[in-house]
């Protein structure tokens, strides 16, 4: 009953207006306002500031700066082994596994189309047929920068307008096509093992999505926006572990690889807590016949 009421409430409220209002508040620089917001949030969610590059709450100019705070340089060491794919963010695994018939598992009994997630282009989605996916949910207390799971060159970025449902477990289990109907930013990278997609999914009260190459991207006018990057004089090249983007309030990152490119490591499954930079997969190797 509580879940049904929660979902009904999200259908009824003005999702975008509420999110923009929260965004305005989160960027407020009035000292007593921003200090009160940051302090109450840090206490309520038990945010670990010992990892932050600046652990002093009052030093942040507004709530968004605190929420997207940088970590100490050694807070998230990467594995030395170069054939390991790393987790893009702190949080929890919502679902991960293999793509089946062009669909991604959302929650038990629910799945959604890869084509829809990536902006409706079937040719773009075909590159990931029978590949692997991982969905990482960033909770409010987590570090909210998203990093590269594997090194690559940005090919294109697609902003897809949509709803702003919450992306927690309750909505994942009860809202059809959740991640393919919410506002999102699709980033397609070319790597030495083929294309990789990293999708930054917006959610209720997420005031914006930002990338390291173009600044704030969402929200935008409510029409899809495609930006191609192959023809730039200086391509956007990011190494494994480099920062890719960040959320202004938390949400979800989805990673896609093509068929027979990666294998997820044992123990990685729905419900697992994650830390950015830890190994979650290994490049797929073909076993030769004896």
């Amino acid at each position: 009953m509580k879940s049904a009421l929660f979902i009904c409430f999200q259908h009824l409220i003005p999702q975008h207006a509420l999110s923009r209002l929260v965004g305005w508040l989160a960027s407020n620089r009035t000292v007593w306002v921003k200090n009160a917001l940051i302090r109450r949030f840090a206490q309520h969610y038990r945010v670990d500031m010992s990892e932050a590059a600046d652990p002093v709450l009052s030093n942040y100019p507004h709530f968004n700066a605190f929420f997207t705070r940088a970590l100490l340089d050694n807070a998230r060491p990467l594995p030395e082994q170069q054939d390991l794919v790393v987790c893009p963010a702190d949080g929890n695994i919502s679902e991960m596994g293999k793509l089946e018939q062009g669909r991604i598992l959302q929650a038990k009994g629910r799945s959604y189309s890869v084509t829809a997630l990536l902006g409706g282009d079937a040719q773009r989605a075909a590159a990931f047929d029978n590949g692997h996916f991982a969905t990482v949910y960033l909770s409010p207390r987590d570090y909210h920068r998203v990093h590269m799971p594997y090194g690559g060159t940005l090919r294109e970025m697609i902003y897809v307008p949509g709803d702003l449902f919450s992306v927690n477990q309750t909505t994942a289990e009860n809202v059809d096509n959740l991640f393919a109907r919410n506002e999102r930013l699709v980033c397609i990278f070319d790597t030495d093992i083929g294309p990789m997609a990293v999708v930054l999914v917006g959610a209720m009260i997420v005031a914006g999505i930002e990338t390291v190459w173009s600044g704030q991207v969402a929200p935008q006018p409510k029409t899809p926006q495609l930006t191609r990057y192959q023809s730039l004089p200086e391509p956007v090249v990011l190494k494994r572990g480099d920062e890719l983007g960040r959320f202004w309030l938390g949400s979800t990152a989805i990673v896609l690889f093509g068929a027979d490119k990666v294998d997820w490591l044992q123990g990685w499954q729905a419900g697992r807590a994650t830390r950015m930079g830890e190994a979650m997969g290994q490049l797929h190797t073909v076993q030769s016949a004896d």
Side-chain angles (χ1 to χ4, degrees):
M1 183 63 178
K2 288 175 63 177
S3 295
L5 289 174
F6 178 61
I7 301 302
C8 181
F9 170 74
Q10 293 192 57
H11 279 283
L12 294 175
I13 64 173
Q15 297 175 343
H16 289 84
L18 176 60
S19 297
R20 304 315 170 230
L21 176 62
V22 172
W24 171 83
L25 185 62
S27 62
N28 191 301
R29 291 175 177 264
T30 304
V31 173
W32 73 266
V33 173
K34 61 94 173 177
N35 283 348
L37 285 173
I38 293 171
R39 184 173 60 254
R40 289 289 298 275
F41 186 94
Q43 290 173 348
H44 180 75
Y45 288 105
R46 299 179 181 178
V47 176
D48 181 6
M49 294 300 293
S50 67
E51 297 181 318
D54 186 350
V56 181
L57 296 178
S58 60
N59 284 349
Y60 292 95
H62 46 68
F63 182 86
N64 277 334
F66 156 74
F67 196 80
T68 59
R69 61 195 174 275
L71 299 183
L72 294 168
D73 289 341
N74 60 351
R76 297 290 184 275
L78 300 178
E80 292 184 6
Q81 197 172 327
Q82 294 301 308
D83 66 343
L84 293 175
V85 174
V86 302
C87 185
D90 286 13
N92 286 275
I93 296 294
S94 294
E95 291 290 348
M96 69 187 304
K98 190 170 183 179
L99 301 173
E100 301 288 349
Q101 298 180 332
R103 299 188 69 81
I104 302 174
L105 180 63
Q106 176 176 301
K108 186 176 181 181
R110 294 182 187 273
S111 65
Y112 58 98
S113 160
V114 177
T115 299
L117 176 71
L118 300 185
D121 187 319
Q123 183 175 357
R124 183 184 298 128
F128 301 98
D129 284 351
N130 301 311
H132 285 75
F133 78 95
T135 304
V136 182
Y137 167 68
L138 292 76
S139 74
R141 67 169 296 175
D142 291 321
Y143 166 63
H144 276 85
R145 299 189 185 192
V146 179
H147 293 246
M148 290 286 284
Y150 191 71
T153 301
L154 182 64
R155 179 202 306 172
E156 57 185 4
M157 177 178 72
I158 309 97
Y159 166 76
V160 186
D163 296 322
L164 288 174
F165 285 99
S166 169
V167 290
N168 60 23
Q169 194 61 31
T170 299
T171 47
E173 293 174 353
N174 291 277
V175 177
D176 287 335
N177 304 311
L178 174 63
F179 300 116
R181 67 189 292 180
N182 268 15
E183 180 180 66
R184 57 201 178 277
L185 189 66
V186 179
C187 306
I188 307 293
F189 294 89
D190 290 316
T191 79
D192 60 12
I193 58 169
M196 173 184 73
V198 181
V199 184
L200 306 181
V201 183
M204 185 76 69
I205 74 169
V206 173
I209 302 172
E210 182 179 335
T211 68
V212 297
W213 56 83
S214 61
Q216 183 180 357
V217 178
Q220 286 191 8
K222 298 306 173 187
T223 56
Q225 304 287 327
L226 169 64
T227 306
R228 301 187 187 279
Y229 287 84
Q230 299 100 314
S231 60
L232 290 181
E234 295 187 12
V236 178
V237 180
L238 298 175
K239 303 187 297 295
R240 184 186 68 164
D242 282 352
E243 183 186 346
L244 181 159
R246 59 188 71 172
F247 290 109
W248 297 357
L249 296 176
S251 193
T252 293
I254 302 171
V255 179
L256 303 177
F257 286 99
D260 299 325
K261 302 303 181 183
V262 303
D263 297 308
W264 299 136
L265 298 181
Q266 186 175 3
W268 281 79
Q269 58 192 10
R272 178 191 171 113
T274 68
R275 285 168 65 86
M276 189 286 289
E278 62 180 335
M280 70 175 183
Q282 188 166 23
L283 302 192
H284 179 79
T285 56
V286 177
Q287 300 296 322
S288 59
D290 292 333

